[in-house]
Amino acid sequence: MNSIKITETALRDGHQSLIATRLKTEEILPILEKMDKVGYYSLEVWGGATFDACLRFLNEDPWERLREIRKRVKNTKLQMLLRGQNLLGYKHYPDDVVEEFIKKSVENGIDIIRVFDALNDLRNLETSIKAIKKAGAHCQCAISYTTSRVHTTEYFVELSKKMEALGADSICIKDMAGILTPHSAYELVNKLKEAVKIPIELHTHSTSGIASMTYLMAVEAGVDIIDTAISPFGEGTSQPSTESMVITLKEGNRAPEINVDLLGEIADYFKPIKEKYRKEGILDPKVMDVDPKTLSYKVPGGMLSNLLSQLKAQRAEDKYEEVLREVPRVREDLGFPPLVTPLSQMVGTQAVFNVLTGERYKMVPKEIKEYVKGLYGASPAPISDEIRKRIIGDEEVVTVRPADLLQPELEKYKVEIGDLASSMEDVLSYALFPQVAKKFFDYRITGKEAAESENSEEKVHYIYVTM
């Protein structure tokens, strides 16, 4: 069989999972040339929460970060994560914004775009897939993996066939909660390899303590690529350690073509950086804990800590277990949405409201109402009339592709931001995060940081990001 390929996630998901996406560009650049020589299939360096964090917390231009990385990485593909019609934000954007964002991502250095939809609603991926292909990049469509009575192996196989038909160049099993068990992974990979002719990649998290075993079984089943993170930014709520997986796989019949000595040098570079964030309190020790409850409640590790922080704010930590039991009930009521951004935050918040008010759906967030109306896409399973009426009354449910309801907005954003934007990339930053981007543009001109509003809707959304 072919040798297993490795995607290194430390520069995106690794530090997003462990240190709230706080790695600075100046901490990334010095090690890139060494990482470029390892033999990785790709480096995941952009997308997810990195874009938002650069602007919001680091006073950095995410586009400039990408360009600087590209200058130094000559041999290895650069990869990003995109939330389909949500791009890197938390709502659906019009097609013209999606198309331009993808075009500019590729122009600035991205080779592979992993694109997913939280509901696995392929209508929310159509524009992204076409734009990725038009830009000449590799389109990797990701399955948002979860389990329920509708999320069977057959469901994911059919989904993958449709993704391949739409133009996917590869498929990623995106197990954001770390709930894919080893034997289930073997079965799923085996069936996907039979069903589609394109490469299969597996992405999981070590939260529940089974990720490395899951990878081994997936490799046995023929998976083509796995996602790992160099050890200082691996394990815990991140991916399995790159060095550990590579050394293990070197003993098998699919040994990866990776320079282990260089991996050690890269780990040595990142160790003091991780230690700095530990001392600053940004690395919460809890993210390194193994939490098998993830397997019972199907809740991503970041979502667990978010639920606890919401309850602490209400001085209701004693309700934590009750909320955890409520999460799967809410999820079933809402048609079993995968617990991935933004659905994980929405379901979790509804569970908190249900417990704290003592009456289910007495309080319903705006986002849950919009979800039930169909504005995020189709729920995986039908929502009962009883639940729908309780949440939105007699309001009509949308059945068209949600983005079809949106008017083009790129020209509007250009006018709104005006001379503060010096490029189309700036306009796109503003389109995704208006308040945060404007604050950054002001800082870029004046060198002075403006105070951020505590009531910023964007800030509230960012706090909820877990994947």
Side-chain angles (χ1 to χ4, degrees):
M1 295 180 77
N2 60 322
S3 64
I4 190 76
K5 294 181 174 68
I6 305 289
T7 290
E8 174 60 59
T9 67
L11 303 182
R12 203 287 295 177
D13 202 9
H15 76 108
Q16 181 174 320
S17 295
L18 299 190
I19 59 168
T21 333
R22 291 304 201 277
L23 267 187
K24 301 179 181 69
T25 300
E26 65 186 36
E27 294 169 326
I28 291 171
L29 299 183
I31 196 62
L32 287 176
E33 290 177 14
K34 195 165 281 187
M35 295 180 82
D36 194 25
K37 296 174 183 175
V38 165
Y40 291 120
Y41 169 72
S42 66
L43 296 175
E44 190 192 40
V45 298
W46 215 58
T50 60
F51 196 96
D52 190 348
C54 276
L55 293 168
R56 188 183 301 274
F57 298 114
L58 306 178
N59 284 320
E60 290 185 10
D61 182 347
W63 298 100
E64 184 62 20
R65 171 181 288 196
L66 176 55
R67 288 189 289 268
E68 289 299 316
I69 292 172
R70 180 78 279 175
K71 283 179 190 176
R72 292 159 176 81
V73 179
K74 307 293 187 184
N75 308 305
T76 312
K77 297 181 182 72
L78 297 184
Q79 183 167 318
M80 72 170 290
L81 179 70
L82 195 77
R83 302 184 193 118
Q85 208 73 31
N86 290 2
L87 293 176
L88 304 179
Y90 313 110
K91 66 175 185 178
H92 278 188
Y93 295 92
D95 287 342
D96 63 333
V97 176
V98 172
E99 290 162 356
E100 190 66 22
F101 189 92
I102 288 169
K103 176 186 170 187
K104 288 298 179 184
S105 298
V106 176
E107 284 181 6
N108 281 272
I110 290 296
D111 300 299
I112 302 170
I113 298 182
R114 176 180 294 170
V115 60
F116 77 97
D117 177 66
L119 293 172
N120 291 314
D121 187 335
L122 296 182
R123 298 174 304 168
N124 294 332
L125 298 183
E126 289 171 359
T127 298
S128 295
I129 293 170
K130 289 174 186 173
I132 294 166
K133 304 289 282 186
K134 184 178 179 181
H138 177 110
C139 178
Q140 183 178 86
C141 288
I143 295 164
S144 294
Y145 180 81
T146 188
T147 57
S148 75
R149 60 178 170 81
V150 296
H151 292 97
T152 61
T153 299
E154 290 70 28
Y155 167 92
F156 291 121
V157 166
E158 289 306 309
L159 187 65
S160 298
K161 287 180 181 177
K162 291 174 183 175
M163 287 174 166
E164 184 180 33
L166 284 172
D169 297 304
S170 62
I171 301 288
C172 176
I173 304 164
K174 181 175 170 54
D175 176 27
M176 53 280 172
I179 60 172
L180 178 60
T181 55
H183 292 284
S184 294
Y186 186 92
E187 179 189 13
L188 179 55
V189 170
N190 194 270
K191 294 291 186 184
L192 289 180
K193 293 297 291 182
E194 291 175 357
V196 300
K197 305 303 180 190
I198 53 179
I200 306 296
E201 185 158 357
L202 177 55
H203 172 96
T204 189
H205 290 253
S206 298
T207 318
S208 62
I210 63 171
S212 296
M213 293 180 281
T214 295
Y215 275 168
L216 281 177
M217 291 294 281
V219 170
E220 288 296 314
V223 80
D224 298 282
I225 313 160
I226 57 172
D227 288 6
T228 64
I230 202 76
S231 55
F233 289 111
E235 304 300 339
T237 54
S238 179
Q239 282 72 57
S241 156
T242 303
E243 306 97 296
S244 305
M245 286 306 308
V246 167
I247 290 167
T248 300
L249 292 168
K250 287 268 189 187
E251 296 181 352
N253 60 0
R254 300 190 60 201
E257 296 173 5
I258 294 284
N259 187 321
V260 178
D261 292 335
L262 275 181
L263 290 181
E265 294 175 27
I266 294 163
D268 287 342
Y269 172 82
F270 280 116
K271 281 174 185 173
I273 294 174
K274 177 182 181 180
E275 198 56 36
K276 181 194 78 168
Y277 286 106
R278 192 195 306 273
K279 288 176 180 175
E280 290 176 358
I282 292 173
L283 175 64
D284 187 328
K286 289 180 181 176
V287 301
M288 300 308 299
D289 291 347
V290 173
D291 195 343
K293 284 182 182 174
T294 301
L295 298 169
S296 302
Y297 298 121
K298 318 297 184 188
V299 174
M303 184 178 168
L304 290 170
S305 57
N306 180 52
L307 290 174
L308 189 55
S309 67
Q310 288 189 52
L311 291 170
K312 281 181 178 176
Q314 300 296 322
R315 296 182 181 176
E317 298 100 307
D318 60 314
K319 304 287 189 183
Y320 182 59
E321 291 291 335
E322 191 177 348
V323 168
L324 281 182
R325 289 191 293 272
E326 178 66 8
V327 166
R329 289 198 285 263
V330 171
R331 185 168 168 253
E332 182 172 2
D333 289 344
L334 298 180
F336 298 106
L339 294 179
V340 62
T341 301
L343 271 303
S344 53
Q345 298 85 346
M346 291 157 55
V347 169
T349 300
Q350 185 64 65
V352 169
F353 284 175
N354 286 358
V355 169
L356 294 187
T357 61
E359 183 181 336
R360 304 186 79 232
Y361 304 106
K362 180 180 182 180
M363 286 179 62
V364 179
K366 176 182 70 129
E367 290 85 355
I368 291 287
K369 291 179 181 178
E370 290 179 348
Y371 166 77
V372 173
K373 285 181 195 174
L375 293 175
Y376 284 83
S379 58
I383 298 171
S384 71
D385 290 342
E386 178 197 349
I387 294 295
R388 180 175 50 78
K389 286 183 178 179
R390 197 180 300 181
I391 292 175
I392 62 169
D394 294 322
E395 291 189 54
E396 193 174 340
V397 175
V398 169
T399 56
V400 300
R401 183 181 75 111
D404 287 342
L405 303 174
L406 303 175
Q407 295 299 314
E409 288 190 327
L410 199 56
E411 292 303 318
K412 182 194 83 167
Y413 290 125
K414 285 182 190 175
V415 172
E416 282 182 7
I417 193 60
D419 293 341
L420 273 179
S422 59
S423 64
M424 177 53 73
E425 287 84 350
D426 283 351
V427 174
L428 290 164
S429 296
Y430 175 74
L432 265 62
F433 303 106
Q435 297 174 32
V436 173
K438 188 173 184 298
K439 177 186 162 206
F440 170 73
F441 299 152
D442 287 334
Y443 166 80
R444 190 168 60 185
I445 294 168
T446 66
K448 295 178 182 177
E449 292 186 50
E452 184 177 352
S453 168
E454 287 299 318
N455 295 321
S456 162
E457 184 177 348
E458 294 169 25
K459 182 171 184 176
V460 171
H461 277 303
Y462 184 83
I463 290 168
Y464 288 164
V465 175
T466 58
M467 59 65 50

